[in-house]
Amino acid sequence: MDMMLHILAPELLLLASSMALLVGDTFWEKRYPALTFQLALVSLVMIVGVILATFSTESVQLFNGGFIRDGVADVLKVSMLLMTVVVFVFARDYLLVRGIERGEYYVMGMISLLGMMVLASAYDMVSLFMGLEIMSLALYAMIAMHKNSSTAVEAAIKYFVLGAMATGLLLYGMSLIYGVVGSLRLDQIYQAVSIAEPTLVLSMGLVFVIVGLSFKFGIAPFHMWVPDVYHGSPTGITIFLAAAPKIAAFALMFRLLIEGLESTIVEWQSLLIILAVVSLLVGNIVAIAQTNLKRILAYSAISHMGFVLMGFIAGNIDGYAAAMFYVVIYGLMSIGAFGVILALSRHGFEADNIADLAGLGRRNPLMALIMLVLLLSMAGVPPLVGFYAKLVILTQLVEVGMVSLAVFAVVMSIIGAFYYLRVIKAMYFDEPAADMMDAGFATVSLRYGLMMVGALVLVLGILPNGMLSLFAQVMMY
Amino acid sequence: MGIEKLLFYVFAATAVLASLGVIGSRNPVRAALFLVLAFVATAGIWLLLQAEFLGIVLILVYVGAVMVLFLFVIMMLDINLTPLREGFTRYLPLGAVVAVVVLAEMSLVLNPQFFGLEHFPSPVALAAGDSNTKMLGQLLFTEYLYAFELAAVLLLLAIVAAIVLTLRRRKQGEVLYQDIGAQVRVQAADRLTMVKMPAVVAVKEDNKKESDDE
């Protein structure tokens, strides 16, 4: 029993602390309004500590293979937890100003995080599915929490309906795979699939699974919800949507396609190539026509997810490690970019149009500089980490001989640089409208947090090797 | 043809026809009742498969609770169906194409070639005393314990989300709540304002005159 508890400790602690906060918040909500927020941060940081203290690259299975704790799961969990901490700090002021800051935001965020952690260490299809549902259900409710905003409710309904459909497709694919293999456990699926000849049923199941995954990932042509949901949700919740759930989606794809069905790579590789190409096209070209910053970031998310897919397409351990590196870095950059929008917004003003950033270089040089660093990093400009993330993916592609795909990705990135540069131009060269005030309303924690994110993007860009070799190492086992 | 086979075909045909009724009937109440019929027929098929617990649960939970709630909602909402039916003919061709494609795909895969008796032998008949409930319970609390606990978390989350989304906290003053603690703590000084006044008030001259006239 002792063994079991320390392996499961992160999940158990997260569940226990979110339950405690859920109950406790009703008692202290009026007297100590900030207590739930503070305790949520303390418990998340504590869980990071627990994971780091018990970190090992060995893999241990529990519950008949329903749960696995290995290096990949631990690395993903730590990055999800840290991102959630940062998101809570960044979003609090925005939510307070709009009167939607409630204890349940943090509780539901933590339960959603629990679902993501379950996903990261799921080793059979049932727990994969349960983790996915816990994560998604909390996200739908968090978006709809802003009841007075019709755009938020619309975004929540769109996300809910399409997400439910994606879940249905994923489940149908899983049931077909179960029909062929006769087991839900990923290792047994792996064995059965690598021995047996590929049948039509398996391919059909695979197609359904990939379509469901693409919905969750926000990959074109299953991306329709991404811009609407990113745009419609309150920014304090978009920032949560844009970071950790992407890492969870990576975990889902990694567990299902690599740990479960890697031997059918010939079948899913070509599918993923099509999806990646379409994502890069849609993400980079449609974004040019957008004037809303949140929509631009949504389309940029689509094209970034195309890059993550290319790591899977490479089909070797280094490729998967590169994809993992990319998705974590993407999460960091998008938290930063949405954080700047949060920092510039104030009551009745969302700061989410490009025009709202006009002249930011003079009005608030610090925020403009951070936004500049983040956008250049997303565009893939050399000293920054976004460049390095793209580079490792492309290197892997070239090594397995997919040069044309790599060239296509580079061309698309150059086209994509246009819309990042357009925002930068607005910040530094456009005249602000006459009635624009100074943009210095951000709280101290938000300002310093953004400075740290910006610095991290720069430092990791110069010294990426430590993180990358860690990722490659945990993938080995 | 054995009685089991006959029963299966009766239940299956009922389920299919009732499902068609669900999507075909114009009256939403009638559609909901057709859905109840489909559930009952499916419960019959469960029973034939010796899964009596699932069959009973389907009746108790879906027919007994979910569908009754559903009917309540339909009757309370008084939905106007004409706007819902608009665009039916416009989307019909596309919908028909999708339906045909899905049907073709499913019949390509879900056929005896892959799911025939040689791949999946028919289940062995259980002894008379075997309890389906006990078997399910044993599986749930051993092999699928983790998923079972996660399902509990999911349900709790659903409750929290439902309350968060529907509970509307009124502003102070808009609605009055009884706060017993405040009532007990209250001091006389909070409720009563003591006003200092001179004990004897001088009566004014004109008032006096008027009263004299009368």
Side-chain angles (χ1 to χ4, degrees):
Chain A
M1 276 311 278
D2 289 339
M3 278 294 293
M4 246 176 86
L5 280 183
H6 95 264
I7 294 164
L8 258 181
E11 279 79 6
L12 288 178
L13 277 174
L14 185 58
L15 181 61
S17 50
S18 53
M19 295 301 104
L21 288 182
L22 179 66
V23 178
D25 181 62
T26 55
F27 287 102
W28 61 58
E29 176 187 39
K30 294 225 173 73
R31 246 171 292 170
Y32 312 106
L35 191 61
T36 310
F37 165 70
Q38 289 154 351
L39 287 179
L41 291 191
V42 168
S43 48
L44 291 182
V45 171
M46 191 177 71
I47 295 162
V48 172
V50 169
I51 294 181
L52 291 181
T54 56
F55 178 80
S56 85
T57 46
E58 264 175 69
S59 73
V60 191
Q61 288 183 30
L62 289 178
F63 298 115
N64 289 313
F67 180 91
I68 189 172
R69 173 115 186 244
D70 56 6
V72 177
D74 277 4
V75 167
L76 291 177
K77 281 180 203 170
V78 168
S79 44
M80 288 172 196
L81 281 160
L82 290 178
M83 279 179 193
T84 310
V85 169
V86 178
V87 163
F88 281 179
V89 172
F90 281 11
R92 177 153 191 270
D93 195 49
Y94 176 94
L95 299 172
L96 267 179
V97 166
R98 278 156 190 76
I100 45 174
E101 201 261 1
R102 292 165 63 175
E104 286 85 3
Y105 171 77
Y106 304 108
V107 172
M108 289 202 289
M110 284 165 82
I111 297 182
S112 175
L113 183 63
L114 177 72
M116 298 178 210
M117 284 169 65
V118 167
L119 257 183
S121 56
Y123 210 52
D124 69 13
M125 292 201 285
V126 179
S127 37
L128 270 179
F129 177 71
M130 295 307 299
L132 183 66
E133 279 309 284
I134 294 175
M135 172 186 99
S136 312
L137 190 63
L139 292 180
Y140 308 141
M142 282 168 85
I143 298 173
M145 261 176 79
H146 196 3
K147 278 176 284 193
N148 298 331
S149 151
S150 58
T151 54
V153 175
E154 184 192 327
I157 289 179
K158 273 183 188 161
Y159 195 24
F160 179 65
V161 172
L162 289 176
M165 201 171 85
T167 304
L169 291 176
L170 187 67
L171 210 54
Y172 192 56
M174 282 179 173
S175 72
L176 284 177
I177 291 172
Y178 177 69
V180 178
V181 178
S183 170
L184 292 166
R185 289 182 53 170
L186 293 181
D187 50 351
Q188 285 171 2
I189 293 173
Y190 185 89
Q191 280 167 9
V193 168
S194 49
I195 301 166
E197 282 179 27
T199 59
L200 196 59
V201 187
L202 187 66
S203 320
M204 182 106 162
L206 196 62
V207 169
F208 273 103
V209 162
I210 286 178
V211 170
L213 283 175
S214 310
F215 255 114
K216 292 287 170 188
F217 236 129
I219 291 166
F222 309 105
H223 66 284
M224 292 79 74
W225 60 273
V226 182
D228 287 352
V229 171
Y230 274 38
H231 183 198
S233 315
T235 316
I237 288 158
T238 315
I239 187 174
F240 186 70
L241 278 178
K246 297 285 181 198
I247 299 179
F250 169 83
L252 178 62
M253 192 165 237
F254 175 72
R255 294 285 181 210
L256 263 179
L257 288 192
I258 309 303
E259 305 226 291
L261 299 161
E262 197 183 14
S263 44
T264 56
I265 184 162
V266 231
E267 308 216 1
W268 55 255
Q269 202 176 31
S270 46
L271 278 174
L272 290 196
I273 290 176
I274 297 169
L275 291 172
V277 166
V278 178
S279 295
L280 286 172
L281 270 175
V282 169
N284 288 312
I285 290 176
V286 183
I288 293 174
Q290 306 298 323
T291 56
N292 183 292
L293 204 51
K294 277 157 88 179
R295 289 189 91 84
I296 286 183
L297 288 173
Y299 281 103
S300 121
I302 295 168
S303 77
H304 283 298
M305 290 308 120
F307 261 97
V308 173
L309 279 192
M310 291 199 288
F312 282 97
I313 292 166
N316 54 28
I317 286 178
D318 287 334
Y320 310 145
M324 188 154 125
F325 183 72
Y326 198 101
V327 82
V328 171
I329 293 302
Y330 166 74
L332 180 72
M333 295 187 299
S334 74
I335 282 184
F338 282 110
V340 172
I341 300 179
L342 287 175
L344 297 177
S345 65
R346 55 181 178 273
H347 192 65
F349 174 65
E350 294 289 334
D352 61 353
N353 285 313
I354 296 184
D356 295 337
L357 296 187
L360 192 68
R362 261 159 294 156
R363 288 186 294 142
N364 191 338
L366 176 69
M367 284 303 147
L369 182 68
I370 293 170
M371 196 63 167
L372 174 77
V373 167
L374 290 167
L375 290 176
L376 288 182
S377 172
M378 282 188 179
V381 172
L384 304 165
V385 70
F387 163 74
Y388 204 83
K390 282 190 166 62
L391 183 70
V392 283
I393 296 258
L394 294 176
T395 318
Q396 289 311 318
L397 274 186
V398 173
E399 261 178 32
V400 296
M402 298 187 184
V403 182
S404 50
L405 187 60
V407 170
F408 176 77
V410 171
V411 171
M412 279 300 143
S413 301
I414 294 168
I415 294 174
F418 170 77
Y419 61 85
Y420 296 118
L421 287 176
R422 204 159 63 121
V423 181
I424 293 170
K425 172 194 162 261
M427 289 196 303
Y428 283 97
F429 299 105
D430 285 4
E431 287 297 321
D435 58 336
M436 271 189 186
M437 289 186 273
D438 278 355
F441 293 94
T443 54
V444 179
S445 52
L446 180 51
R447 261 205 315 270
Y448 281 99
L450 280 174
M451 277 155 71
M452 271 160 62
V453 171
L456 202 59
V457 166
L458 193 62
V459 170
L460 279 177
I462 298 166
L463 307 162
N465 286 331
M467 195 166 159
L468 197 60
S469 64
L470 171 74
F471 283 15
Q473 228 168 40
V474 294
M475 276 286 169
M476 291 287 199
Y477 294 97
Chain B
M1 194 153 79
I3 182 76
E4 279 184 15
K5 230 175 190 176
L6 181 73
L7 279 175
F8 171 77
Y9 282 117
V10 169
F11 282 132
T14 318
V16 170
L17 290 177
S19 308
L20 284 176
V22 174
I23 54 171
S25 55
R26 284 183 170 274
N27 185 338
V29 176
R30 197 169 291 171
L33 290 175
F34 268 122
L35 195 56
V36 170
L37 182 59
F39 282 143
V40 172
T42 319
I45 295 179
W46 278 124
L47 287 180
L48 284 179
L49 284 170
Q50 297 180 323
E52 72 274 2
F53 180 73
L54 294 179
I56 293 166
V57 163
L58 190 67
I59 298 267
L60 284 182
V61 175
Y62 274 86
V63 178
V66 175
M67 286 317 295
V68 170
L69 274 178
F70 209 77
L71 276 174
F72 264 123
V73 173
I74 291 173
M75 289 173 180
M76 283 165 90
L77 282 184
D78 187 28
I79 312 162
N80 185 9
L81 282 170
T82 29
L84 288 181
R85 293 189 193 283
E86 272 170 22
F88 179 76
T89 42
R90 214 179 72 199
Y91 296 119
L92 185 64
L94 185 66
V97 168
V98 172
V100 167
V101 168
V102 171
L103 189 69
E105 281 179 346
M106 285 177 76
S107 51
L108 208 61
V109 170
L110 301 175
N111 60 21
Q113 191 196 340
F114 298 112
F115 290 98
L117 275 180
E118 65 270 30
H119 297 286
F120 294 91
S122 60
V124 209
L126 298 174
D130 271 1
S131 162
N132 182 240
T133 318
K134 196 174 160 192
M135 280 153 57
L136 270 177
Q138 269 172 352
L139 268 184
L140 271 187
F141 286 99
T142 54
E143 210 179 323
Y144 296 108
L145 177 67
Y146 184 53
F148 187 68
E149 295 296 325
L150 289 177
V153 176
L154 186 61
L155 287 178
L156 179 76
L157 172 66
I159 296 170
V160 174
I163 293 175
V164 166
L165 293 185
T166 50
L167 183 72
R168 188 175 287 273
R169 243 166 273 184
R170 308 258 175 115
K171 280 186 202 118
Q172 205 106 57
E174 200 177 310
V175 107
L176 298 175
Y177 293 105
Q178 186 181 22
D179 187 347
I180 296 167
Q183 287 175 336
V184 173
R185 276 195 308 273
V186 77
Q187 304 281 319
D190 298 338
R191 294 283 164 85
L192 302 170
T193 319
M194 306 300 271
V195 185
K196 271 256 159 64
M197 293 182 81
V200 182
V201 183
V203 184
K204 281 185 183 169
E205 281 301 309
D206 6 332
N207 283 2
K208 212 174 169 185
K209 249 182 202 166
E210 278 173 26
S211 53
D212 284 349
D213 292 341
E214 285 167 13

